[in-house]
Amino acid sequence: MDFQPDTGTLYFTDNNVDMMGDDNPPGELNAAPKAGMHFGFPYYAGGKAQHPDWKDKQAPQDVTFPVQEFQAHTASLGLKFYTGDMFPADYKGDAIIAQHGSWNRTSPVGYQLMRVTFDDNHQVTGHEVFIDGWLQNGEAWGRPTDVLQLADGSLLISDDYNDVIYRVSYGDDNASSTDATSQSNSKTITDLQMPESAIAAPDGRVFVTEIGEFGKAGDGKVTVIDKSGQKTTLATGLNDPKGIDLWNNELYIADVDHVVKVDMKGDITVIAKAKNFPGKPVFLNDMEIDGNGTLYVSDSGTDDGENAGIYQITQAGKVSEILDDKSAIKRPNGLLMDGNDTLLVADFGTGDLYRANISSGKTEALNKGFG
């Protein structure tokens, strides 16, 4: 909810009810200029669509209907009237609404920012998409949740799916020059000793695992490359470190038969020893982490695929095997989260690409011929 700046009228969004079809009932933006108003619940499920459980009941005569309706199931949440000077002048007084997105619609909708426009008399004139793109080919990778305005007129958008906050600016020279600088650095980094995997931090640093001499214990390390291309060593004493990922400002690394955590001071902690694995870890390879901090580690196994699989490791250190060497994936290597409960898996043994369901362990072949 938010108060319209010039009139003081309270506006609020309404998610409505579910299970009434893909396009019914509509979402709502409501205005409450005074106390004691009735907005239709529970007689109306959204807009003027009556709820089936109350179809035989007489609704009050003084129901106030929404000032703007939205596509059903877009799930309008955070609302903010724009009062800044950064955006073009016609944005001032308009409402920006975060639409969290559907969960029970045949084809997903929402996952966007909506702009509701107002005229000089502070009445709604229409609505249009302000920002979209969090929904790609029916798959959501982000869910806008709330909107705030900074003193400079830029907007902050929270995303509770990715656990991030976006800043949206207009004509912001500082932001543009920063992006241009970061993209123009084409320096080649040399003298790395068998670099295996890399992960980029939000501040522009890149962390690289270096195996050193393959099969030699203790000569592996983690190298940091800053935005200017300068190289420093963060941690040493690893064996053959491979997959690396970053979560909560700490690095997680697969190191042959165990998994370690490295903090930003370079201190190393073993979080999953070889004996903690339900199978026999042989060739731990790639590392992927979901939004809850759960780790997924591939084990490419022996040359014949023996002991190959994919392990799940919780933040509490519990290790379980979600795929073993009896699955269709012979030697799992590269991992990438693909939604909440699926992984993309590259098969090092066959050159095939799979999608694996984490809960069920079922696999789906996607493509082949990668060598």
Side-chain angles (χ1 to χ4, degrees), residues 135-152:
L135 185 67
Q136 299 285 340
N137 299 319
E139 294 286 341
W141 65 269
R143 306 193 75 177
T145 309
D146 203 3
V147 185
L148 286 177
Q149 180 182 307
L150 291 178
D152 65 359

Side-chain angles (χ1 to χ4, degrees), residues 216-249:
K216 181 179 179 180
D219 70 336
K221 62 182 179 180
V222 180
T223 296
V224 187
I225 302 168
D226 66 20
K227 288 188 291 185
S228 67
Q230 296 300 309
K231 182 179 65 173
T232 57
T233 299
L234 176 67
T236 60
L238 301 174
N239 297 324
D240 287 350
K242 296 183 179 66
I244 184 173
D245 208 348
L246 177 69
W247 190 75
N248 266 9
N249 208 35

Side-chain angles (χ1 to χ4, degrees), residues 197-217:
S197 189
I199 185 71
D203 61 9
R205 289 178 298 167
V206 178
F207 298 89
V208 183
T209 53
E210 293 187 59
I211 288 177
E213 181 181 340
F214 188 79
K216 181 179 179 180

Side-chain angles (χ1 to χ4, degrees), residues 26-250:
E28 296 182 350
L29 174 65
N30 294 281
K34 60 183 180 181
M37 300 174 68
H38 196 296
F39 293 91
F41 179 84
Y43 305 92
Y44 294 94
K48 295 183 179 180
Q50 287 192 289
H51 195 288
D53 293 347
W54 290 77
K55 63 182 179 181
D56 297 328
K57 306 290 185 180
Q58 180 63 45
Q61 297 299 309
D62 58 348
V63 168
T64 298
F65 292 103
V67 295
Q68 179 63 61
E69 295 183 355
F70 304 113
Q71 164 67 45
H73 305 295
T74 49
S76 296
L77 294 184
L79 159 71
K80 187 67 181 176
F81 280 98
Y82 188 75
T83 60
D85 296 318
M86 176 182 281
F87 290 7
D90 61 347
Y91 276 80
K92 187 167 288 189
D94 290 349
I96 306 296
I97 299 173
Q99 294 191 330
H100 200 234
S102 58
W103 65 272
N104 71 330
R105 192 176 185 274
T106 304
S107 298
V109 290
Y111 309 96
Q112 61 190 4
L113 273 293
M114 187 65 68
R115 174 191 177 191
V116 178
T117 56
F118 289 76
D119 61 20
D120 292 339
N121 295 318
H122 312 297
Q123 301 299 308
V124 172
T125 59
H127 66 291
E128 62 185 34
V129 174
F130 176 54
I131 300 176
D132 61 6
W134 285 281
L135 185 67
Q136 299 285 340
N137 299 319
E139 294 286 341
W141 65 269
R143 306 193 75 177
T145 309
D146 203 3
V147 185
L148 286 177
Q149 180 182 307
L150 291 178
D152 65 359
S154 61
L155 294 178
L156 296 180
I157 311 298
S158 62
D159 176 348
D160 67 359
Y161 184 88
N162 289 308
D163 295 335
V164 298
I165 297 174
Y166 309 99
R167 175 175 174 264
V168 184
S169 60
Y170 182 91
D172 189 340
D173 292 337
N174 291 331
S176 300
S177 62
T178 300
D179 291 342
T181 300
S182 64
Q183 294 172 5
S184 63
N185 190 345
S186 59
K187 181 176 179 179
T188 299
I189 310 302
T190 59
D191 300 325
L192 297 171
Q193 302 300 310
M194 200 179 288
E196 169 70 14
S197 189
I199 185 71
D203 61 9
R205 289 178 298 167
V206 178
F207 298 89
V208 183
T209 53
E210 293 187 59
I211 288 177
E213 181 181 340
F214 188 79
K216 181 179 179 180
D219 70 336
K221 62 182 179 180
V222 180
T223 296
V224 187
I225 302 168
D226 66 20
K227 288 188 291 185
S228 67
Q230 296 300 309
K231 182 179 65 173
T232 57
T233 299
L234 176 67
T236 60
L238 301 174
N239 297 324
D240 287 350
K242 296 183 179 66
I244 184 173
D245 208 348
L246 177 69
W247 190 75
N248 266 9
N249 208 35
E250 293 179 311

